[in-house]
Every structure is written in C-alpha cells, then in structure tokens.
Amino acid sequence: MKIKILVFSILCVLLHGKSMGQQKNAPLKIGLIADPQYADQDTKGSRFYRNSLSKLDSATTAINATGVDFTVMVGDLVDVGTKDLTPALRHLDKLKAPVYNLLGNHDYVDVKDGATLYKAYRMPAPYYTVERGHWLFILLNTNELSEYATSATSAEHSAWQALNNQLKLEQRQNTQPWNGGISTQQLVWMEKQLKKAEKEAKNVIIFTHHPLFPENGLETLNNRDILAVIEKYPRVKAVISGHHHPGNFGNYKGIPMITLEGMIETSNENAYGVLELYLHRIDLKGQGRMTSRKFDF
C-alpha cells in the first residue's frame, strides 16, 4: 500500500512539473486588427465599408478561439469619424480578452475636439503602455502633430506646421494630409519607457498607426526622429503599424518593422492575425490577407 502511495505521489509531482513547464513555455498571445474603417456607406473602389462589421465578427470569433491575452487594434476603426463608432465598438466588444485601441487619421474625421477623442475609444490616454510578463508594449499616437487632429490655435498645430514645412523643404514624400507625427513631449515619454524596459530587462514591442519604416510616403512625419531613439535600445523587438492597407515590411537596423494589411480592403477576404511571443521568438500567424512572419532574436 505504501509503495502505491509513493508511486502515486511521484506521478503527481512529475505531472505537476510538466504542467508548470508547459505554462512557463506557453507564448503570450495578442490579437491583431488593422484598419477596419467601417462606415454605413457604399463601396468605393476596393473599400467595402459595410462589410467590415461581418469581418470583425469573423475575426473576433477566431481570435477568441485562440485564447489571446489581449488584442491591439492599430487605428482607423471607422472611416468618417465617430458617427459610425457605436456599431463598430459593439462588434469589437465580442472579443473576450481586453482590447487596446490606437487612433488613426480616419477616426478624427469631423471630430471637433481631437484632444479628447481617445476617450470615445475607451483608451486610458492618447498614448500609453501595457505590460504583460517580461514584455512592455508602447502604443504611440502618431496623429498628435497633424492638421486633422489639431485646432488651428493650438501649440500642436503650430508644431505640425513647422514640421510639415521642414519636410517639404527636404522634399519628403510623406507631407500628405492623412499623415501625422508625434510631439517632442511624446518622444521624451517614449524614451523614458524604453529606459525603464532596459532597466527591468523587459522586451518591447511598439505599436503605431502610421508606419515608421520603410518610407513610402505613408510613414509618420517625424519617423526618423523616432527611429533614432528606438535604435539605441536593443530590447525593442518589433514595431507594428497599420495605415498602409496592402501591408509592408522592412528591417531597420535589425528591428522588424511590420505594417499590417488593412481589413477594409476586398469584399469578403478578411485580414487579422495572432502574435505569439516566446522567450526568443516572435510568430505572427496571419489570417486571410494578413501575412504570417517569424523572427528569432
């Protein structure tokens, strides 16, 4: 009888150890959605505005099934501002885990007070961080310096005008009305988060609406200033963005720069994904038009 009890005890310890090992090696999972741009309006070209609600339903069902820890929606949930926000949020709410939103340029259409728009999207601030385990996620607001997100008398508008004028002198191609940048204050804040991550040995992923790299005319206005800070911190393992609906990819000094495919494009084919974060690997599992990618570090 004592032998049976001893064998049973050993088996319990072994099984418990195996279970703990599986939990320790289990990846952190993050749902990814970019540019649904829902609107109650007719299709224009390749943008099927009304279809985005059914696509969100398919995406949320699939993302829920994978058991993600949370989902990041990288901007442009709607196409023409808050008039269509309620139904879009209702469909996004079908996600069981937390959702962290970013604002895109289309979210600001016909919005009177861009400085407080983040509240309508249930964001804690215009830019903020999320921490999970040994990972830090930095969600930037690349609309902060832009014509569409600022009032004509604000300091941010003046800063945007000066930045835009300088970029035109440099003959940059990103001086378009749908692009934006970040303030010096936000840049200092970002570096503070990166220093904290280095000190605490946390890996970092940065999310933006406007891409930082490659440059194709859709990048953040002051992307080079942001990249100059990021490249100093080896804990940054990837930058993930939206805005450029066909998707894109570049490697900036060893850092993967991923632009997610936009959900709005195409009639029926969807675009969403799940990011799996391991100790030494990132695995993006794309669905539909979203490209799958793997990175070791």
Side-chain angles (χ1 to χ4, degrees):
M1 183 68 177
K2 291 182 178 179
I3 294 175
K4 289 183 178 179
I5 293 173
L6 179 62
V7 171
F8 178 76
S9 299
I10 292 171
L11 285 172
C12 286
V13 170
L14 291 173
L15 288 171
H16 179 69
K18 183 179 180 181
S19 175
M20 291 296 290
Q22 288 173 336
Q23 291 176 15
K24 186 177 179 181
N25 295 324
L28 185 68
K29 294 183 179 181
I30 303 167
L32 297 174
I33 296 173
D35 300 81
Q37 283 185 222
Y38 167 69
D40 185 14
Q41 62 185 18
D42 295 337
T43 299
K44 294 179 183 177
S46 62
R47 298 186 178 183
F48 295 78
Y49 301 104
R50 292 192 179 98
N51 295 21
S52 286
L53 292 185
S54 61
K55 289 179 184 178
L56 280 170
D57 284 344
S58 298
T60 55
T61 298
I63 290 172
N64 282 337
T66 66
V68 298
D69 295 273
F70 60 89
T71 293
V72 176
M73 204 290 298
V74 297
D76 282 356
L77 178 58
V78 293
D79 185 70
V80 284
T82 55
K83 77 178 186 67
D84 294 308
L85 182 58
T86 298
L89 284 175
R90 187 168 62 246
H91 286 256
L92 198 62
D93 280 345
K94 295 179 181 180
L95 287 165
K96 296 176 181 178
V99 181
Y100 298 107
N101 286 312
L102 280 178
L103 295 172
N105 51 297
H106 282 271
D107 297 310
Y108 285 88
V109 175
D110 293 333
V111 171
K112 292 181 180 179
D113 188 1
T116 62
L117 181 63
Y118 70 93
K119 295 178 181 179
Y121 287 74
R122 305 168 187 167
M123 297 160 56
Y127 48 91
Y128 57 103
T129 62
V130 176
E131 292 189 51
R132 290 289 191 282
H134 64 279
W135 285 90
L136 174 70
F137 305 95
I138 300 176
L139 289 81
L140 297 179
N141 177 20
T142 56
N143 309 281
E144 187 179 23
L145 302 186
S146 64
E147 185 174 22
Y148 57 81
T150 59
S151 63
T153 57
S154 68
E156 289 79 11
H157 187 88
S158 298
W160 161 76
Q161 189 71 71
L163 174 60
N164 208 51
N165 290 343
Q166 180 60 39
L167 293 172
K168 286 181 177 179
L169 287 174
E170 296 171 5
Q171 298 185 329
R172 291 282 301 276
Q173 300 302 309
N174 61 338
T175 56
Q176 305 296 332
W178 46 79
N179 292 334
I182 75 171
S183 66
T184 301
Q185 180 180 353
Q186 187 177 169
L187 189 64
V188 170
W189 172 87
M190 182 190 75
E191 184 158 24
K192 182 179 178 181
Q193 308 310 312
L194 293 175
K195 287 179 178 177
K196 178 175 179 285
E198 291 287 335
K199 183 178 180 180
E200 297 177 358
K202 289 181 179 288
N203 291 332
V204 178
I205 290 181
I206 297 174
F207 290 97
T208 69
H209 178 66
H210 299 86
L212 302 184
F213 186 84
E215 294 183 354
N216 61 0
L218 290 169
E219 69 272 12
T220 304
L221 293 177
N222 49 354
N223 67 311
R224 295 178 184 176
D225 295 333
I226 302 170
L227 290 170
V229 173
I230 289 173
E231 68 182 64
K232 297 189 295 184
Y233 297 92
R235 285 280 172 182
V236 179
K237 301 305 180 185
V239 176
I240 299 176
S241 311
H243 192 53
H244 181 47
H245 297 176
N248 207 349
F249 177 79
N251 190 300
Y252 182 81
K253 299 188 177 181
I255 306 171
M257 301 274 163
I258 305 164
T259 303
L260 303 175
E261 288 80 358
M263 183 179 281
I264 181 64
E265 303 291 334
T266 76
S267 175
N268 297 310
E269 189 177 13
N270 214 335
Y272 62 91
V274 173
L275 192 68
E276 295 186 351
L277 303 180
Y278 297 85
L279 190 60
H280 299 294
R281 187 176 88 247
I282 294 175
D283 190 354
L284 197 172
K285 296 183 176 179
Q287 299 295 325
R289 292 175 51 253
M290 189 168 289
T291 304
S292 294
R293 306 180 188 276
K294 289 187 179 182
F295 310 99
D296 295 316
F297 55 86

